[in-house]
Amino acid sequence: MSYTGDVRVGGPTAVRELDDAVVRKVAVGPGANNAYLVTCRRSGAQLLVDAAADPDRLLALVREGSPAARLATVVTTHRHADHVGALVSVLAVTGADLAAGADDADAVGAAADGAPVRRLVHGDTLTVGHLVLEVVALRGHTPGSVALALREPEHVHVPDAVPGRVHLFTGDSLFPGGVGATGGDPERFGQLLTDVRERVFDRFDDATWVYPGHGADTTLGAERPHLDAWRARGW
């Protein structure tokens, strides 16, 4: 079956096979948080985006990607409680490293019982086997919110692949229909929309696939026509 990104709590994993990577998506917890497992096809190394809830389901997801449970890193996109609920268990079982945006790292580390946290800043890279993911800081939903950008190779050999396409894991900073919540604060909203415009829409093309922290996936092409309307409405 082709990948759609449609998942539900208690349902099966959605799997997307790319040339160099496999992306797996599940929904967990009462908040129907999305968690994503990125597996390097050449090495088997893995990265988990948001150990949000239901550690048993997430550990099963890791085993789907690698029976040896080779999880290199957990990245927490931001510090909110619904995105950190399974951190302690997942880190304890897998021995994975933990990373989060610098301005959210203290809160994320506290949620992980004091585990050390790599403090990510805009433009950093994360290496997972032969994969390289770029850190894109998107300030506003929280001060340290980050997205991760994985770019497909220029030469691809699988039907679903688009040469050079970016796969962007945005946490709660960008969704179908708008940016993430900013508590009704005009300054935070302005910062987030500016970051999303300058660091995402101005850099990546319309084929870029967006994997948000909740709900359905989207593309930059689907969302780009609405940027001015988002600014006008103020949320």
Side-chain angles (χ1 to χ4, degrees):
M1 294 178 61
S2 62
Y3 175 87
T4 66
D6 295 330
V7 293
R8 57 179 176 81
V9 176
T13 304
V15 181
R16 185 172 213 172
E17 294 192 3
L18 308 173
D19 253 28
D20 289 349
V22 179
V23 177
R24 291 176 169 85
K25 177 181 181 179
V26 297
V28 294
N33 290 69
N34 295 330
Y36 300 93
L37 183 73
V38 180
T39 304
C40 172
R41 297 186 69 165
R42 293 169 62 189
S43 71
Q46 302 193 113
L47 176 146
L48 180 68
V49 181
D50 283 339
D54 195 348
D56 290 341
R57 178 66 180 95
L58 295 183
L59 291 168
L61 177 69
V62 171
R63 290 191 293 272
E64 289 177 28
S66 171
R70 298 173 58 194
L71 184 64
T73 305
V74 177
V75 175
T76 300
T77 58
H78 63 288
R79 66 193 185 194
H80 286 162
D82 64 323
H83 286 257
V84 299
L87 271 177
V88 172
S89 295
V90 170
L91 295 176
V93 172
T94 65
D97 296 330
L98 176 60
D103 288 337
D104 281 9
D106 289 344
V108 171
D113 280 356
V117 185
R118 176 178 170 183
R119 306 174 79 89
L120 302 174
V121 298
H122 183 64
D124 278 352
T125 57
L126 291 162
T127 301
V128 183
H130 298 273
L131 306 176
V132 177
L133 295 94
E134 178 187 350
V135 176
V136 182
L138 299 174
R139 302 158 294 181
H141 183 64
T142 66
S145 289
V146 293
L148 299 177
L150 172 68
R151 187 179 293 274
E152 291 186 53
E154 292 297 327
H155 302 287
V156 295
H157 307 94
V158 294
D160 190 38
V162 175
R165 177 172 52 185
V166 170
H167 297 260
L168 192 64
F169 303 89
T170 57
D172 285 3
S173 292
L174 178 62
F175 295 97
V179 297
T182 52
D185 183 331
E187 184 175 350
R188 287 172 57 196
F189 171 76
Q191 177 70 79
L192 180 54
L193 191 60
T194 296
D195 277 0
V196 164
R197 183 186 291 271
E198 294 180 353
R199 297 180 175 184
V200 174
F201 285 92
D202 288 353
R203 289 191 56 214
F204 303 127
D205 65 22
D206 285 354
T208 298
W209 197 275
V210 176
Y211 304 83
H214 303 265
D217 299 357
T218 188
T219 65
L220 293 191
E223 305 305 323
R224 192 182 301 275
H226 309 294
L227 282 167
D228 290 341
W230 298 352
R231 185 173 293 280
R233 79 187 183 193
W235 57 272

